Amino acid sequence: MTRLILASQSPARTKLLTEAGIQHDVLVSDVDEDAVQAKYGVTDAHDTALLLARAKAEAVAALPEAEGALVIGCDSVFEFDGESHGKPYTAEVARERMLRMSGSQGVLHTGHWLVDCRDTADGADDDAAGNETPEGTGATVGAVSSAEVHFAEMSRQDIDAYVATGEPLHCAGSFTIDGLGGAFIRKVNGDPHAVVGLSISTLRDLLVHANVGITELWDTDEQ
């Protein structure tokens, strides 16, 4: 069985994978996002999402626990009025952003980076039980899935109530689509999974580079 490791502590991402029937483990990276962005000087929302996804995936791939597995790292950045918005962290920032976003639209970019940590043909070996382990490809590839998010008109009371729940404080762009924030999203043009934080179809495309079909990761016993 091919192991997939999600390099993210996001409950929404692991829930999404679980509901899609994809077996996975969670191993969180200790990447300093601000330091990574400062090092590379990336300000474009699309490129920032990919850069941070790569940093997270490669940090986890370097850990001993990732040996013999595939690692997928993800990061989301919201682009609004030409600005890149990550997590707001404070109620004041979330409230200010949502007041601006009310009745408007922006683009949520979710970066994905896959690292194949399995042994390549030269290093492939049997596991402890004597079973032949799948050969790795050495693939390290990424892609961004973007979706345009249209917001409904939100009153100050709506925004204050939403911010008070704490939900938007740790979400890129200060909103969710799969939680309480879904009430304020009028429509999405693009992959809705990208707005949650992990595009299943993009993951499927990346797995091709590791010679793995997504059906190989399905936990059919749980379906």
Side-chain angles (χ1 to χ4, degrees):
M1 180 67 190
T2 301
R3 289 173 57 222
L4 178 70
I5 294 175
L6 173 64
S8 171
Q9 63 184 349
S10 164
R13 291 189 179 110
T14 196
K15 180 183 178 184
L16 193 156
L17 286 175
T18 299
E19 291 180 344
I22 298 174
Q23 295 190 74
H24 66 286
D25 299 317
V26 174
L27 194 55
V28 181
S29 73
D30 59 354
V31 169
D32 183 331
E33 296 185 16
D34 291 337
V36 171
Q37 293 181 76
K39 177 180 179 180
Y40 291 96
V42 177
T43 56
D44 174 81
H46 176 283
D47 293 346
T48 297
L50 189 61
L51 173 70
L52 294 177
R54 180 173 187 171
K56 292 176 181 179
E58 291 183 342
V60 168
L63 299 176
E65 298 92 326
E67 183 177 353
L70 299 172
V71 176
I72 182 70
C74 298
D75 194 85
S76 297
V77 179
F78 187 59
E79 181 181 354
F80 183 77
D81 276 353
E83 301 174 356
S84 296
H85 291 174
K87 303 177 182 70
Y89 293 116
T90 69
E92 291 74 19
V93 173
R95 184 177 294 105
E96 184 273 332
R97 288 182 181 178
M98 295 188 70
L99 284 168
R100 292 173 58 199
M101 286 156 37
S102 176
S104 190
Q105 64 275 331
V107 179
L108 197 289
H109 302 282
T110 292
H112 306 70
W113 200 273
L114 183 77
V115 180
D116 188 348
C117 301
R118 300 171 300 169
D119 285 335
T120 57
D122 292 338
D125 204 349
D126 294 345
D127 62 19
N131 300 313
E132 185 177 349
T133 57
E135 290 183 359
T137 61
T140 174
V141 292
V144 176
S145 180
S146 303
E148 188 177 64
V149 183
H150 293 250
F151 299 95
E153 294 282 352
M154 295 175 276
S155 67
R156 286 185 175 271
Q157 290 80 5
D158 286 336
I159 293 172
D160 287 344
Y162 183 46
V163 171
T165 69
E167 182 182 271
L169 304 189
H170 301 283
C171 302
S174 312
F175 68 92
T176 66
I177 192 175
D178 57 330
L180 300 174
F184 307 118
I185 295 177
R186 188 163 54 83
K187 69 176 181 177
V188 172
N189 293 332
D191 186 346
H193 284 165
V195 183
V196 177
L198 193 160
S199 165
I200 299 296
S201 61
T202 299
L203 173 60
R204 175 178 177 268
D205 292 341
L206 294 179
L207 287 170
V208 171
H209 296 276
N211 293 332
V212 173
I214 199 164
T215 59
E216 297 175 47
L217 303 179
W218 283 352
D219 186 2
T220 53
D221 291 338
E222 297 295 325
Q223 301 302 304

